[in-house]
Amino acid sequence: MCGIIGYVGFREARTVLLESLKRLDYRGYDSAGVAIIDKNLKVYKEIGEIANVEKKIPQLKGTTGVGHTRWATHGGVTKENAHPHLSCDKKIAIVHNGIIENYTKLKEDLKKKGHRFVSQTDSEVIAHLIDDVYKGNLEEAIFAAIKKIKGSYAIVAVSQDEPGKIVGVRNESPLVIGVGDSENFLASDITAFLKYTDRVMFLNDGELCVITANSIKVLNTNKKQIKKKEELITWDFTDAEKSGFPHFMLKEIYDQPDSIHHALRGRISEMEETITFPEPVEKLLKSEINSIHIVACGTSFYAGLVGKYLIEQHTNIPVFTEIASEYRYFGTRNESSLVIAITQSGETADTLAALREAQLSGSKTLVITNVIGSTATRIADGYILQQSGPEIGVAATKTFTSQIMVLFLIALKIALLQKKLGSDELYNYLFHLKALPRHVRDVLERSNDIIAIAKQLKDAKSVFFIGRGINYPLSLEGALKLKEISYIHAEGFAAGELKHGPFALLTKDTPVVAIVTQDETYEKILANIGEIKARGSPVIAIAEDKDTEIENHADFVLRFPVSSHVLPCIPITVVLQLLAYHVADLRKCPIDKPRNLAKSVTVE
Ligand code: M6R
């Protein structure tokens, strides 16, 4: 939540900061602002979109500055609460991502010392704490300030008296250095500066960095300079562009034939009939595991539910899925359980807290994430990268299908280790997995059928999604996608549960989307559809191409291809994503930036 950027170099900071903020705005879009040293410190901030700030900034020659895009936590959406926040003399500017838990007390103390506050935010205390001890050396002042702060933060600051220098520090909020030639960057994530450089250094909690156009200095909590490894990012800048699509979400849905393929890349070998993960992951999967606990939030949690079905189907290990914010306080743990945290961003505060909790209790920890160098990768004993490429749209799409792919590989790997899977069966699975990108492409080519159904749904007040078995978590995900981007109330249910209560809500105006696969649940879900139709609700079935029976039961049918029953959940998900997208598009909703949401939820 909240995106921060700092730039120092040879380009006009105005252009770089605005450009970078536009790439970060998925982290929050309540307000935005920049501070640029142009002889003296100049600050521009506005509520709403970054374009509102852009309109107000004149051409400036300054080449050092900081910027922020806000997702409001403390204090309403007002210009005063927008970042950057300033010292009393307006010479020091800070941008902050995180939460300062003890800000009320700090604010009182600072007020008594004569500091004047203009906002209701927790962040403003940081500017005044620095100001309070500043004697011409920003890093010294920041070291002193953070000693007083309790909470999470990534802070980037500049001082008018030290032009050409930026200082950043982090604790439980992401901050990464972009390494350029005669220019350097600091940002909440890589996409902010990917246009300018693919060389990065990841900061750990407690580390502080001082960057100028030609130098990078990183200090640990003891103020001792440390050497940081420079890493090369393989994401392409164009991956973070809309590439002609009207929305990032649609582009990312269409990325899936590639991202699904990439989730397998470097991991499967049909020739050798193996599945291989990085060494620490191999070690974890080979260790004694009595149970698996999957912890995650939102869409990643639903991927975890899919994972439960997959792992339990192929191995004899029981899998418990727990919402990360609940696991943190109430989850059961033990040393022979493996805790798998799923988080595309690798920065979700609740998931990180659950992960830390699991480690404290001695469980082994594995992370599935899309972001190399993210905090999650540095906490866990091992991590598997989704290799999906950057996801900018707030609604998770391609990262969900990649998470499922990785979970399936984990299930197969454990089955191999447990000798529950023979090489012929593995060959067969891998063969069909490789066909999935083609099935997804097939669904994408049928988008006109989906648009036709979206037209039927666009004025609904409430939509239900139902499925059985592995299709149950898909119904939850289908409902989440629809509600978050179209603002239509939607709920997902295990199909058998409707008659235990939700039936009371069914009317002829409540469309029900039923996910139907020709497996052991087929007859039962047809019966459920019959029960729903008897209440007069229209049923839209998502069914296999080969299902000739379904038309006799449902009012409308959307089709997906299957050549076998290996992960039909992948093409089904794409149908659900396109359905939500087109409904939201017909309703003219701000698809990439739904109200009140942010891509990366870095507060608990
Ligand atoms: O980065 P994470 O995977 O940890 O994010 C978890 C959720 O915040 C996320 O999946 C959210 O539910 C999606 N934006 C929904 O589309």
Side-chain angles (χ1 to χ4, degrees), residues 286-302:
K286 284 174 189 158
S287 65
E288 193 198 335
I289 303 171
N290 289 347
S291 62
I292 292 178
H293 293 253
I294 299 182
V295 295
C297 304
T299 290
S300 294
F301 176 69
Y302 297 151

Side-chain angles (χ1 to χ4, degrees), residues 289-293 308 311-312 315-320 338:
I289 303 171
N290 289 347
S291 62
I292 292 178
H293 293 253
K308 172 183 165 69
I311 297 171
E312 288 186 342
T315 75
N316 61 7
I317 301 179
V319 181
F320 305 92
L338 172 67

Side-chain angles (χ1 to χ4, degrees), residues 296-302 342-349 351 368-369 386 391 393-397 399 403 477 480-481 484-485 594 597-601:
C297 304
T299 290
S300 294
F301 176 69
Y302 297 151
I342 309 177
T343 166
Q344 88 77 23
S345 62
E347 300 294 350
T348 298
T351 310
I368 300 173
T369 183
Q386 300 175 203
E391 186 176 74
V394 165
T397 50
T399 55
Q403 288 165 348
E477 172 60 6
L480 176 61
K481 282 297 85 97
E484 75 177 320
I485 59 168
L597 298 181
K599 180 80 179 159
S600 194
V601 185

